[in-house]
């Protein structure tokens, strides 16, 4: 089970639920468009995580080391993120 911690609340992801879907299900406002790692509009800051965040495929959107794309990343364990939109 994956636990997600934000400034707004703590929740768990359902089986096979993306981080983006979990954030939307729990009432977080997250910008998104493509859901496939192309546009980068869903990027959020990863503050800490108990496991490595990985991707089933290399996303095309440019992200910094402390950023993740909740639409397509895979998370496990516990992850703490800042879900506020990142303006680039």
């Amino acid at each position: 089970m994956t636990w997600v911690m934000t400034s707004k609340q703590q929740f768990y992801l359902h089986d096979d639920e993306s981080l983006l879907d979990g954030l939307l299900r729990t009432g977080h406002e997250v910008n998104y468009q493509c859901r496939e790692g192309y546009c980068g509009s869903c990027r959020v800051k990863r503050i800490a995580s108990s496991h490595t965040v990985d991707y089933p495929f290399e996303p095309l959107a440019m992200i910094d080391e402390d950023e993740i794309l909740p639409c397509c990343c895979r998370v496990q364990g516990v992850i703490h993120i800042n879900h506020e939109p990142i303006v680039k």
Side-chain angles (χ1 to χ4, degrees), residues 6-85:
T6 70
S7 61
K8 185 176 179 180
Q9 69 187 98
Q10 179 176 322
F11 64 94
Y12 66 92
L13 292 181
H14 293 219
D15 292 337
D16 297 323
E17 181 178 42
S18 72
L19 179 55
L20 176 61
D21 289 335
L23 288 165
L24 295 173
R25 173 177 54 83
T26 56
H28 292 81
E29 288 189 35
V30 181
N31 295 325
Y32 67 95
Q33 291 180 17
C34 71
R35 288 185 169 259
E36 296 180 9
Y38 297 125
C39 71
S41 64
C42 68
R43 76 182 72 229
V44 297
K45 290 267 188 195
R46 178 178 50 89
I47 297 170
S49 57
S50 64
H51 292 71
T52 302
V53 175
D54 66 347
Y55 295 86
F57 53 88
E58 190 68 30
L60 292 178
M62 302 292 277
I63 55 175
D64 291 336
E65 278 191 40
D66 63 345
E67 296 175 342
I68 59 172
L69 299 173
C71 70
C72 61
C73 70
R74 287 191 225 163
V75 295
Q76 298 176 358
V78 178
I79 187 165
H80 186 190
I81 62 171
N82 179 351
H83 72 285
E84 300 297 322

